[in-house]
Amino acid sequence: MPRPFRKRGSRYAVSLSDGEREMLAELCLQSRALLEAEDPSTDAAVARLFPPAYQDDPLQNLEFESALGDAPRNGKLDAIATVERTVRASDLSEDELLDWVKVVNDARLVLGTRIEITEQSTERDYPADHPDHDSFQVYVYLTWLEDRILRALGDPPVDEGASGP
């Protein structure tokens, strides 16, 4: 199985194809446009990105959201800016890679909401002739990529001078 991210000292080497990097850059553009144009009250996918802190108490949730202001949205936009700036990088800092996982996860959530992914969804639900087949394939890729980032974040650094597998 390919390892698109490997810990090298305090940084993470990135091994993604040009096509993968172009897709991530496009997802950043789409995510930024969505966050700038919509909010949780106007778009179910955006609502998925900002779940209520107090689901059973709308007034307490409104107070909480008012106290936070634009910080959650701005945090997502900042993470997108990091990925846009580093999408062609050969290595990333831990903070940059953490922003990557945030952006990948948010893109998965939006896409999953759009094509109505459930825990029981499988490839059989999105065959080649299904209108959401390609979107499902992107969703599967993003799920794999998120897993690879999280695994890399948990890996010990690779000693470049050591021999072995």
Side-chain angles (χ1 to χ4, degrees):
M1 173 135 332
R3 296 195 58 180
F5 304 95
R6 284 187 179 261
K7 189 165 188 179
R8 302 270 190 234
S10 64
R11 298 192 60 84
Y12 294 85
V14 181
S15 300
L16 295 174
S17 70
D18 288 343
E20 289 169 304
R21 291 171 189 268
E22 288 169 20
M23 182 184 68
L24 289 170
E26 179 59 32
L27 286 171
C28 285
L29 289 173
Q30 292 175 13
S31 295
R32 177 177 300 287
L34 180 66
L35 287 171
E36 290 174 348
E38 303 294 342
D39 64 54
S41 68
T42 62
D43 189 300
V46 175
R48 183 73 175 94
L49 298 178
F50 300 100
Y54 302 97
Q55 193 155 355
D56 297 333
D57 189 340
L59 291 177
Q60 190 173 14
N61 193 64
L62 181 60
E63 183 179 318
F64 179 77
E65 288 176 358
S66 295
L68 288 178
D70 290 334
R73 180 181 307 274
N74 290 341
K76 291 182 181 304
L77 291 170
D78 289 346
I80 290 168
T82 297
V83 176
E84 289 172 329
R85 177 178 49 78
T86 61
V87 74
R88 298 267 175 229
S90 60
D91 69 351
L92 301 168
S93 70
E94 184 170 313
D95 286 341
E96 291 167 335
L97 191 56
L98 287 168
D99 280 347
W100 275 53
V101 78
K102 291 173 193 175
V103 169
V104 168
N105 185 59
D106 284 354
R108 278 184 68 252
L109 290 173
V110 167
L111 191 55
T113 301
R114 294 273 189 257
I115 65 173
E116 301 178 352
I117 293 282
T118 68
E119 288 184 25
Q120 293 78 30
S121 295
T122 67
E123 287 193 47
R124 283 177 274 150
D125 298 318
Y126 300 91
D129 61 343
H130 192 283
D132 292 326
H133 173 78
D134 291 343
S135 295
F136 180 76
Q137 294 304 314
V138 172
Y139 178 87
V140 168
Y141 170 76
L142 292 173
T143 300
W144 173 83
L145 189 64
E146 181 177 15
D147 176 72
R148 298 288 99 184
I149 294 171
L150 292 171
R151 286 176 186 263
L153 286 165
D155 283 348
V158 174
D159 180 0
E160 297 295 330
S163 62

